Amino acid sequence: MNDAATFDFTALAGRRVAVAMSGGVDSSVVAALAAEAGCDVVGVTLQLYDSGATAARPGACCAGADIRDARAVAARLGIAHYVVDMEARFRKAVIEAFADSYARGQTPVPCVECNKTVKFTDLLELAQGLGAEALLTGHYVQRIMGPGGAELHRGLDPAKDQSYFLWTTTRAQLDYLRFPLGGLAKAAVRREAERFGLSVAAKPDSQDICFVGGGDYAAIVEKLRPELAMPGDIVDQAGRRLGGHNGVHRFTVGQRRGLDIGGHAEPLYVIGLDAAANRVIAGPRSALAVAAARLEGANPLGSLDGEVMVKVRSLAAPAAARWEGDMLTFAMPLLGVAPGQAAVAYRGSRVIGGATIGKTIPVSML
């Protein structure tokens, strides 16, 4: 029995399925497993950006060498493979939205927007147009059938769980999607890649923000919105000037590094951004404590209202909270919560929905 025996391909055997192939080890293993199970596999790779134009680093996805890797894997497996140019769509829906979010003083999560628009809307429609009965991806999440239909659950390996980035997935999309790797650890997936003799078996994992080279997101923002590179003031909570900055987009709530301020008895952090006034608001660490958040654009995958466990960052530990309408109240104050981030709610391992944080309410305002 191989490592991937946790996913049952029985219902898909002999049927056409589409596999989203990014050129990485995860999606390549999904394609190999589906082919081994007797599925009629069609691999689809989206070209999302010009890696030269965006200076994306090695280990990114959906450009250049990654497309060549996906082609090579498809050729080894003997499956059909298509490359679809989605650069214009990705630029508008993800990269420009990323820049606009920073321009508003927010902290965006571009992987959420990519999954919401390009991957689980455009790619899904493309898969259906190819006659596929399901779209398979390499995401580390689980699709489990419940009393009301397909449910989205955390990946079994907590170190690789990607459920935080998939909260915008709709119930209709879940009916069509499959996630064969959700019950596996990464080490098991690499063993499968070696078993199939795939050239990508040892390829590094892709980075969260695939189009940002060297981690310098500010350079991408300034390239798209050069007007943001404008000097402004760093002020305290009372509005008194403490220093200067070279663009609000270079700061996020909770940040300490980069604040050019001296002569204070305690360290200062970014506690707020006033993009309209081009001001960065600094204060002590205690001022970062957030008691509640007002939410926007909720996507319910279950009954959201009531007691939940919630994540406000992909790597954050779930925190107890109460979800009521568009208000999320934390059982204990949280640090590092910023507008633009996603709040994703869980009951047990199930994702019951999520929303974008529109406004935070500090403990001091209650």
Side-chain angles (χ1 to χ4, degrees):
M1 180 177 293
N2 62 53
D3 282 317
T6 55
F7 183 83
D8 186 2
F9 279 94
T10 303
L12 298 175
R15 300 177 182 273
R16 172 167 287 191
V17 299
V19 177
M21 298 182 67
S22 67
V25 62
D26 298 325
S27 58
S28 296
V29 167
V30 169
L33 291 170
E36 182 182 55
C39 299
D40 175 13
V41 181
V42 178
V44 182
T45 299
L46 303 181
Q47 180 178 328
L48 299 183
Y49 56 87
D50 178 346
S51 59
T54 59
R57 57 190 176 279
C61 67
C62 308
D66 307 292
I67 293 175
R68 292 192 293 274
D69 286 343
R71 282 182 175 141
V73 169
R76 176 169 180 79
L77 299 175
I79 63 173
H81 180 247
Y82 299 94
V83 177
V84 183
D85 184 352
M86 297 290 288
E87 277 194 47
R89 169 70 162 150
F90 184 74
R91 180 183 177 91
K92 181 177 180 181
V94 180
I95 300 180
E96 291 194 7
F98 174 82
D100 289 341
S101 186
Y102 272 108
R104 294 191 296 269
Q106 298 177 330
T107 302
V109 189
C111 292
V112 169
E113 289 303 311
C114 183
N115 288 324
K116 177 182 177 181
T117 56
V118 178
K119 291 182 179 176
F120 286 178
T121 298
D122 301 331
L123 177 55
L124 191 146
E125 291 175 357
L126 178 61
Q128 291 173 329
L130 290 170
E133 297 191 27
L135 173 63
L136 283 57
T137 82
H139 288 99
Y140 286 85
V141 294
Q142 298 184 86
R143 175 187 180 272
I144 296 175
M145 294 304 295
E151 300 174 351
L152 182 64
H153 287 249
R154 286 193 187 100
L156 195 64
D157 182 354
K160 294 301 297 180
D161 170 47
Q162 293 174 298
S163 60
Y164 178 83
F165 300 108
L166 300 185
W167 66 266
T168 60
T169 307
T170 66
R171 295 175 193 246
Q173 289 167 347
L174 275 178
D175 286 340
Y176 190 69
L177 290 162
R178 302 292 187 275
F179 308 107
L181 306 186
L184 299 177
K186 184 72 179 201
V189 173
R190 291 202 184 277
R191 286 195 296 270
E192 289 296 288
E194 293 170 356
R195 180 171 72 87
F196 286 111
L198 302 182
S199 59
V200 296
K203 187 174 181 177
D205 287 348
S206 61
Q207 304 299 317
D208 282 350
I209 305 180
C210 61
F211 56 88
V212 176
D216 188 4
Y217 72 88
I220 297 294
V221 174
E222 288 174 13
K223 182 176 180 179
L224 294 170
R225 303 290 183 268
E227 68 278 7
L228 295 179
M230 181 172 58
D233 292 334
I234 300 175
V235 302
D236 65 14
Q237 292 166 280
R240 294 184 293 262
R241 189 178 189 279
L242 301 174
H245 67 77
N246 292 318
V248 168
H249 66 289
R250 292 181 170 272
F251 298 84
T252 59
V253 171
Q255 179 177 334
R256 180 181 173 189
R257 187 177 179 180
L259 284 175
D260 189 15
I261 303 170
H264 292 270
E266 60 180 320
L268 295 182
Y269 298 79
V270 176
I271 62 172
L273 299 169
D274 185 347
N278 195 29
R279 299 195 308 176
V280 175
I281 304 166
R285 189 171 186 272
S286 60
L288 287 169
V290 170
R294 193 165 295 281
L295 307 171
E296 300 174 350
N299 178 49
L301 290 171
S303 177
L304 272 173
D305 284 345
E307 305 301 321
V308 298
M309 298 298 291
V310 66
K311 292 180 70 170
V312 295
R313 296 183 306 280
S314 63
L315 299 179
R322 183 169 184 81
W323 192 304
E324 294 181 289
D326 66 350
M327 184 65 68
L328 183 67
T329 304
F330 303 113
M332 297 289 292
L334 294 186
L335 303 180
V337 185
Q341 292 174 330
V344 182
Y346 299 81
R347 288 200 180 97
S349 67
R350 184 185 177 189
V351 179
I352 57 171
T356 300
I357 297 172
K359 181 181 179 181
T360 57
I361 301 172
V363 171
S364 59
M365 293 182 63
L366 293 183

